Amino acid sequence: RSCGRVGAHAFESSETKETLDMVAQIATASAQMAQFLAENVRFSGNDMMLLGSNMIACAFVYYFLRFLKLPDHSWYLTLYSSFVTSFVGLYLFYHVCHDGFTATIDNETDLSRYAAIFFIGYCIMDLFLGSMHYENLLTYDDGWTHHFLYIAVCAYLIHDGLTSLFAIALVEELPIMLLAFHEVQNKQRPSLLFGVLYFLTRIVFHTVLIYKAAQFSTLVFTVGLSLLMLHVKEFQRWVRGYLMRSHGRKRMPFKGKLVLFAMMLAANTMAHAYAAYDLVYTKYTQPPSVPIIVMHATILLIFMYRFGVVVHDVYTQNFIMTSIGRKKIIYNISWEDPAVDHKVMHMNDQDVVLTISSAGCNVLDYLCQGPKKIIAVDMNAAQLHTLELKLTCIRALNWEQFFDIWGRSNYKVFKSVYESKLRPLLKPETAEFWDDNHNLFRDNFMYAGTSGLMAKILCFPLRLSGMRRRVMNREQFEDSPGGIFFWLTLKLCSMTFLWSWIAPLGGVPLEQLNLLSRNPKVFVDRLVEVLKVRVWKPNNYFYYGYIVGEFAPDCCPRYLEKKNFTNLKKRVDRVDLFHGTWADAAVREGPGSITIASLLDSMDWMPAEMIAENISKVVANMDKEKGRIFWRSFADCVHSPVLAHLDGTLVPDYDRVGWYLTQFIAPTPKNYNPEMIVQKGSGRTFTNSFGADVSVMLAMAKQGLSKVKDVREFYKKQGKNYDGFREALLPARDLFMRHVIPWAKEPKTWISVGCGTARDVEFVVGHVRKCNTKVYLCDLSDALLEMARERVMELGLAPQVVFVEGDINSAAVKKKLPKQADLVTCSYCLTMIPDWKKALKTMSDLVAPGGNLALIDFVTREGRERSWDQRLYKWWFAMDGVFFNKEHRKWLLSNEDYKTVYYAEEEGRVPYTPYRPTHYMFCGEKLA
């Protein structure tokens, strides 16, 4: 007992000494900061009184508005500050207009000095009150970094007597005042007014101001440029959102918004160019040197490029949805080779086919096979109008007229039959569409729509090369079929930075294009192969039509061939048009009704959540015995875990288009409950305040620098902040838990290795309840298991959960676990286990035949293991006891006991750093 007391006393003395040392260090740092402020910041007694008074006023305003119970209290101080500073800014702006920039900046007044002190007080109190009352809304970027930056800037300007510059800039608070006024009342912001004000003040005016200030302070000019970059980024968010809302609002036509946006870009470019020219050639006392001219020209080009990024972002994010919203044709022909479909679908007269309309080419090709029914679905009404007109032409015209209209875009023939034979048979909305779009045939329907425009752009150099004549004459490919112009086309196709500009024209969303981002060379090689080989293949009507400008009777889609026209006339009523999603169309048809679902490439742009929602509805309404699902993808492997669990077969057949790297066919899956893939988690999210994240990062730093790494103590000290920080540090856990794990198989036993706080369980609480799964939560840390126990109690899952403390490799732990389980998972834990091979062997042995092993963790990126960034991430994480190891990947993918169901790598950002380490997601099924 005496020894115990002595030991405890020694431990307490050591702990007290550490505390005193820390207090001393903080006191020393505070004294040094106070000395620095005293030497560098000129605060008089009146200044301090004003600062203190404003801080008291901030507190009064906050609590008074809170007493009035205005909705969003995080905006109270912003409203107060922006209201005061906007009036100061407007007053100084008047002087700028009256006296000029230089005279106003050069004349510091008490008002401008007080404005800077006022803003320092606001920043301090917003951080102080925010830490107490709206801590989670006080973000690192918009809160702590922003406020400390402005405190430092204001202090510098006070020191150098340049507060008039800050006061002039306060006119930029006008849009913030407008925004805060509406946010405090929880009202919808006036988007157009806010955006225009933001552009005029924080882009144009700010640009001119910082160039005028450059002659007074290079530092202010540099900081001003940094702030301008942030303002442009915020402006980009507004433009994207405002244009996306164009479909639901009628206040300004979409074209009007585009004109406004173009005028803004032009105005900013001219203002920036003039401000730079004025500084370089009129404000410098001596003629500018070449380096000065080059520097300012470079700055101008950088911001022009940044606004180019804004244009690119708006274009890629809005173009396709805008076309759909405005009922514009995107696809003038369908770019999927139906010949491949027929080889694997084996379509017959008993089939009910669900497919996407697009331009109707594949729908009519399927109709040539004579299925019982085809449901043609599209979100874009214009595509359905195109298919309906084609069906009407089949009903009312002879083959020669039909081919003239759709094969040669003969406007004269179209015009002669439209009013008399076609229009009376069209639905009213379709007739109205074609009444307004005769020009599509007049200007050649082969180049109609956005995909037609893309074809026209890409085919222009090919036509110059003489390729049109060669293709018409069915010539074979030569090494140099068109000289420099053909070579130019090859080069354009290999320039990956151009893809994001061209792809939306062809109806390819940015999300779909991103499937190529990890290995773009594969697609570059495919495009070159298309131009050198597939274009020249006999009967490749896809490229023949675009290059020549029309189809030929012996080189056209099957539905345009004369031999199929009679059958099409007989079967034309078998096509049912549906405006909406293919999932909703499947639900309308009912359970067991669909035998073929040909989904084209529609799932390439969908997130896993949307794919799950749609696939669950389709599978639920497929014929259980004869059903088959067919889809294409830009990706070189199964790109979604939801699709991976359909267990599709890769279709190796050579297709004439060549754009799709993979095609899959899958029967209606057995042992598959589609309800399970759409179950929900708790819906809770965890976010830390900046202060809480700092405490976690300090614990991580201490752990990294410690020679002896006590894992239990490490997690125990992080306590309640654990989940908030890990939510951002450990990406894609929700995706992994909900969709990589095959819940459709309804696992009855689940062992979670390294469960932590049981956050993973919360992502799939609905799945666990629905399956009545018995869950074993295993972890080394008693502190984390205690947090896990509290969470399980909150979720109401206590009867289904067993807690196991200890090392997964220990015999004692193995005895507490079932001998075999349907599912074993390990989430961001394997990289922290020293004997990882033994741990993987243990986990593998615990999986029952037919069961699944699923892991998510960090790894060095495949194919780039020796690059500098991967080495940096490996070293940086190793200090925290997390060891990246490519051998983990090799072990999982080469294990002969398992069939790889899904494997993917992605990057995620580490909070507060530019680091983007790679993580993998793996799911394997144990072979019997």
Side-chain angles (χ1 to χ4, degrees):
R1 289 178 181 174
S2 298
C3 290
R5 283 196 294 270
V6 170
H9 178 71
F11 177 77
E12 290 171 2
S13 299
S14 174
E15 194 174 54
T16 302
K17 185 176 183 301
E18 289 182 5
T19 303
L20 291 174
D21 289 344
M22 186 176 295
V23 170
Q25 291 174 3
I26 293 173
T28 302
S30 300
Q32 291 173 348
M33 178 60 71
Q35 183 180 354
F36 171 81
L37 293 174
E39 293 175 354
N40 294 278
V41 181
R42 300 172 182 173
F43 269 76
S44 65
N46 289 336
D47 293 339
M48 294 302 296
M49 185 179 297
L50 180 63
L51 178 63
S53 300
N54 181 51
M55 291 169 66
I56 294 171
C58 285
F60 173 79
V61 167
Y62 176 82
Y63 287 109
F64 177 72
L65 293 179
R66 191 158 186 174
F67 173 77
L68 296 178
K69 297 183 179 179
L70 293 178
D72 195 342
H73 58 272
S74 64
W75 282 87
Y76 292 171
L77 291 186
T78 304
L79 176 62
Y80 166 62
S81 170
S82 59
F83 181 80
V84 173
T85 52
S86 292
F87 277 95
V88 174
L90 286 171
Y91 175 75
L92 268 294
F93 182 72
Y94 164 77
H95 280 282
V96 167
C97 296
H98 187 268
D99 304 325
F101 271 103
T102 304
T104 308
I105 293 173
D106 207 26
N107 182 29
E108 185 181 43
T109 63
D110 289 341
L111 178 63
S112 64
R113 185 178 181 86
Y114 291 160
I117 295 170
F118 170 89
F119 203 78
I120 290 175
Y122 153 72
C123 291
I124 293 171
M125 290 305 293
D126 195 34
L127 293 176
F128 177 72
L129 293 173
S131 298
M132 294 192 298
H133 298 296
Y134 42 94
E135 188 177 23
N136 288 336
L137 298 175
L138 200 62
T139 63
Y140 171 73
D141 292 329
D142 296 333
W144 293 92
T145 302
H146 175 276
H147 285 11
F148 272 113
L149 173 63
Y150 271 96
I151 289 171
V153 169
C154 289
Y156 170 80
L157 294 175
I158 290 171
H159 178 268
D160 279 22
L162 291 173
T163 55
S164 54
L165 178 61
F166 175 76
I168 295 171
L170 289 177
V171 75
E172 298 175 23
E173 290 294 300
L174 279 172
I176 307 304
M177 181 180 69
L178 179 69
L179 179 62
F181 178 76
H182 286 81
E183 291 288 349
V184 161
Q185 302 176 77
N186 211 11
K187 292 182 178 180
Q188 187 177 21
R189 69 181 70 171
S191 187
L192 177 59
L193 180 58
F194 170 79
V196 171
L197 263 179
Y198 193 94
F199 172 77
L200 292 175
T201 57
R202 297 210 159 196
I203 304 292
V204 176
F205 181 77
H206 183 90
T207 300
V208 175
L209 179 60
I210 59 176
Y211 273 94
K212 295 294 183 181
Q215 58 185 304
F216 295 93
S217 172
T218 303
L219 178 61
V220 170
F221 177 69
T222 305
V223 173
L225 287 175
S226 302
L227 292 174
L228 180 58
M229 191 66 76
L230 295 176
H231 294 171
V232 172
K233 187 176 181 180
E234 189 65 29
F235 177 68
Q236 176 180 353
R237 289 174 55 191
W238 171 78
V239 172
R240 181 197 296 180
Y242 188 57
L243 289 178
M244 282 298 288
R245 288 191 290 271
S246 63
H247 317 311
R249 294 186 176 187
K250 303 297 182 183
R251 297 178 186 175
M252 179 182 286
F254 183 75
K255 287 185 178 179
K257 293 183 177 184
L258 290 180
V259 170
L260 175 64
F261 180 44
M263 290 173 61
M264 286 179 168
L265 294 180
N268 177 72
T269 303
M270 289 188 290
H272 199 141
Y274 170 76
Y277 176 85
D278 182 62
L279 174 66
V280 171
Y281 286 99
T282 64
K283 299 301 180 184
Y284 285 120
T285 54
Q286 296 179 350
S289 61
V290 173
I292 291 292
I293 295 174
V294 170
M295 180 188 74
H296 286 288
T298 302
I299 292 172
L300 175 61
L301 290 174
I302 289 172
F303 277 95
M304 287 179 66
Y305 166 78
R306 192 65 188 80
F307 269 94
V309 171
V310 175
V311 174
H312 175 267
D313 175 69
V314 169
Y315 163 69
T316 55
Q317 296 294 334
N318 288 268
F319 186 83
I320 294 175
M321 292 309 296
T322 298
S323 298
I324 292 174
R326 299 177 66 225
K327 297 182 180 178
K328 296 293 184 182
I329 289 176
I330 296 176
Y331 310 103
N332 63 332
I333 66 172
S334 299
W335 273 87
E336 290 87 10
D337 188 353
V340 176
D341 305 21
H342 295 306
K343 287 182 180 180
V344 294
M345 288 181 185
H346 307 296
M347 194 179 296
N348 58 55
D349 59 1
Q350 296 302 308
D351 280 318
V352 175
V353 182
L354 173 68
T355 190
I356 296 167
S357 173
S358 186
C361 303
N362 285 24
V363 174
L364 296 178
D365 188 283
Y366 293 173
L367 195 60
C368 293
Q369 293 295 111
K372 182 179 179 181
K373 181 180 180 181
I374 301 176
I375 306 107
V377 180
D378 214 295
M379 291 286 290
N380 187 356
Q383 302 295 157
L384 293 175
H385 297 328
T386 301
L387 177 54
E388 185 181 342
L389 183 62
K390 287 184 177 181
L391 292 169
T392 303
C393 287
I394 293 171
R395 284 192 185 97
L397 306 179
N398 58 43
W399 176 79
E400 286 77 11
Q401 292 170 319
F402 182 62
F403 190 88
D404 272 339
I405 292 172
W406 295 105
R408 299 192 177 103
S409 194
N410 190 321
Y411 180 57
K412 184 178 180 180
V413 173
F414 172 75
K415 194 173 181 181
S416 68
V417 299
Y418 177 72
E419 291 292 342
S420 59
K421 294 184 177 183
L422 302 179
R423 196 180 192 284
L425 301 178
L426 298 174
K427 294 177 183 178
E429 58 271 22
T430 303
E432 182 182 349
F433 175 84
W434 287 110
D435 288 346
D436 297 333
N437 287 281
H438 281 205
N439 62 296
L440 296 178
F441 291 100
R442 183 195 64 208
D443 301 333
N444 194 345
F445 192 82
M446 189 58 67
Y447 300 119
T450 60
S451 61
L453 176 59
M454 179 192 74
K456 188 178 290 188
I457 293 170
L458 293 178
C459 288
F460 179 71
L462 293 178
R463 288 192 169 208
L464 292 177
S465 71
M467 193 170 174
R468 182 177 185 273
R469 176 182 55 81
R470 293 170 179 268
V471 170
M472 284 183 68
N473 295 335
R474 314 295 201 276
E475 295 181 15
Q476 295 299 310
F477 174 77
E478 301 173 2
D479 290 336
S480 300
I484 189 171
F485 292 108
F486 188 81
W487 174 84
L488 175 63
T489 306
L490 292 175
K491 287 298 179 183
L492 286 174
C493 290
S494 64
M495 295 178 181
T496 56
F497 69 89
L498 291 178
W499 291 356
S500 58
W501 287 96
I502 297 173
L505 292 174
V508 179
L510 194 60
E511 294 82 0
Q512 185 173 20
L513 195 63
N514 287 339
L515 296 176
L516 306 170
S517 61
R518 297 189 73 81
N519 192 10
K521 187 178 184 301
V522 173
F523 196 66
V524 169
D525 293 342
R526 174 62 64 86
L527 291 177
V528 172
E529 189 263 352
V530 164
L531 285 170
K532 289 186 175 182
V533 180
R534 302 191 194 212
V535 168
W536 307 88
K537 292 286 184 180
N539 197 31
N540 193 337
Y541 64 83
F542 297 97
Y543 297 104
Y544 182 96
Y546 274 160
I547 293 172
V548 175
E550 62 181 41
F551 292 126
D554 63 339
C555 190
C556 62
R558 275 209 308 166
Y559 75 90
L560 284 175
E561 293 177 0
K562 189 173 184 177
K563 65 182 180 181
N564 295 315
F565 191 71
T566 302
N567 283 333
L568 288 176
K569 269 188 176 291
K570 294 176 183 178
R571 301 165 182 170
V572 70
D573 292 325
R574 299 184 189 181
V575 179
D576 180 18
L577 305 184
F578 183 88
H579 185 208
T581 68
W582 40 262
D584 291 337
V587 172
R588 187 196 65 172
E589 292 301 304
S593 60
I594 299 167
T595 59
I596 296 177
S598 178
L599 306 178
L600 309 186
D601 62 337
S602 61
M603 293 178 287
D604 270 4
W605 58 268
M606 296 182 185
E609 190 76 14
M610 187 181 295
I611 295 176
E613 182 180 346
N614 284 273
I615 284 293
S616 67
K617 293 177 180 178
V618 168
V619 172
N621 293 284
M622 294 287 293
D623 186 295
K624 304 303 179 187
E625 300 301 324
K626 297 181 290 184
R628 51 264 200 215
I629 304 171
F630 181 79
W631 73 93
R632 291 177 164 86
S633 178
F634 265 49
D636 57 1
C637 60
V638 180
H639 74 282
S640 170
V642 179
L643 297 176
H645 293 308
L646 294 179
D647 198 19
T649 301
L650 179 66
V651 178
D653 286 61
Y654 187 93
D655 78 302
R656 288 170 288 182
V657 175
W659 290 18
Y660 302 101
L661 299 181
T662 51
Q663 302 166 99
F664 298 91
I665 184 81
T668 305
K670 312 295 183 185
N671 187 27
Y672 187 97
N673 183 354
E675 291 183 17
M676 292 306 306
I677 66 174
V678 291
Q679 296 298 311
K680 303 295 182 183
S682 69
R684 289 200 299 177
T685 57
F686 295 87
T687 55
N688 278 353
S689 66
F690 176 61
D693 277 344
V694 168
S695 68
V696 175
M697 288 187 284
L698 288 175
M700 291 171 65
K702 184 177 180 181
Q703 173 76 359
L705 296 172
S706 300
K707 292 183 179 179
V708 180
K709 301 186 186 298
D710 189 337
V711 178
R712 284 188 174 88
E713 187 67 17
F714 173 60
Y715 287 123
K716 187 175 181 179
K717 285 188 176 180
Q718 293 182 57
K720 296 180 179 179
N721 296 328
Y722 180 90
D723 281 329
F725 188 77
R726 257 75 183 167
E727 202 83 341
L729 180 64
L730 309 179
R733 284 188 297 170
D734 55 341
L735 172 65
F736 171 74
M737 293 304 304
R738 295 187 62 192
H739 299 300
V740 175
I741 293 173
W743 290 104
K745 293 169 66 174
E746 300 181 280
K748 299 303 179 185
T749 51
W750 169 24
I751 299 172
S752 176
V753 179
C755 68
T757 64
R759 174 60 173 142
D760 286 351
V761 176
E762 195 162 356
F763 290 124
V764 291
V765 61
H767 305 70
V768 172
R769 285 190 184 130
K770 186 81 173 176
C771 292
N772 194 27
T773 306
K774 188 72 174 179
V775 184
Y776 294 83
L777 298 180
C778 178
D779 202 278
L780 191 67
S781 169
D782 56 345
L784 292 181
L785 279 178
E786 186 58 38
M787 295 168 68
R789 188 173 284 106
E790 292 177 7
R791 170 170 276 131
V792 167
M793 292 290 289
E794 289 177 13
L795 297 174
L797 295 176
Q800 294 176 239
V801 179
V802 176
F803 299 92
V804 181
E805 180 186 346
D807 187 345
I808 187 65
N809 289 328
S810 71
V813 167
K814 292 178 185 178
K815 289 180 180 179
K816 298 177 184 178
L817 299 173
K819 290 185 178 180
Q820 288 190 322
D822 297 326
L823 175 65
V824 176
T825 66
C826 184
S827 175
Y828 288 106
C829 178
L830 187 64
T831 47
M832 302 183 73
I833 301 176
D835 196 351
W836 63 268
K837 286 186 179 180
K838 186 176 180 182
L840 274 177
K841 180 66 167 59
T842 300
M843 288 187 270
S844 175
D845 292 342
L846 287 170
V847 179
N852 294 92
L853 175 65
L855 294 91
I856 180 172
D857 214 325
F858 292 113
V859 73
T860 50
R861 179 169 171 172
E862 188 173 15
R864 291 185 51 189
E865 291 87 353
R866 298 189 62 80
S867 62
W868 69 269
D869 58 333
Q870 300 302 310
R871 292 185 180 188
L872 173 64
Y873 302 152
K874 189 174 181 178
W875 168 80
W876 193 78
F877 274 84
M879 292 194 297
D880 190 29
V882 177
F883 299 95
F884 290 20
N885 193 337
K886 64 181 181 181
E887 294 300 317
H888 296 179
R889 173 177 55 225
K890 183 178 178 181
W891 193 99
L892 292 169
L893 297 179
S894 63
N895 192 325
E896 295 180 353
D897 294 333
Y898 283 83
K899 178 182 76 172
T900 299
V901 177
Y902 181 74
Y903 179 83
E905 293 183 7
E906 293 179 2
E907 281 70 49
R909 182 172 172 242
V910 177
Y912 310 110
T913 75
Y915 298 164
R916 293 183 60 83
T918 301
H919 61 272
Y920 69 86
M921 292 178 283
F922 168 84
C923 179
E925 181 179 309
K926 193 168 188 178
L927 302 174

